[in-house]
Amino acid sequence: DGLLGTRWASGYSDDAWVQVELAAPARIAAVTLAWESACAKQYTVQTSQDGVHWTTASTQRPEGCGNDVVRLPATEAVRYVRMQGVERRTAWGYSIHEMGVYGAPAS
């Protein structure tokens, strides 16, 4: 939503996730995550054409909370992008202020 005063927060589970559906298929070049202090020790960025079958595009193990930029190969057109938690850094759930998806239309 472009507002750093809002956030998405998960329950207290390592395997929590958040996904976005793009308006049209696109080749994704990067995903950005602006974490709150309840961030991931490990997570994956996954992509999907149908929202059912997922491909892990990148596995991340950030050193701490903050802003992550995850570069992707942009080879395949996808409609969905997801942050899939693997391990939480704290006892709390995951908390993300903003998730940005950058790429080019697939046409």
Side-chain angles (χ1 to χ4, degrees), residues 20-43:
V20 295
E21 179 181 2
L22 305 174
R27 287 176 171 59
I28 307 305
V31 173
T32 60
L33 297 164
W35 293 96
E36 194 188 29
S37 58
C39 65
K41 189 171 187 178
Q42 181 177 341
Y43 67 94

Side-chain angles (χ1 to χ4, degrees), residues 47-73:
T47 59
S48 174
Q49 294 177 351
D50 60 9
V52 176
H53 303 92
W54 294 89
T55 300
T56 297
S58 181
T59 299
Q60 298 294 305
R61 294 174 187 84
E63 292 183 20
C65 300
N67 296 321
D68 291 348
V69 177
V70 181
R71 304 219 183 270
L72 302 178

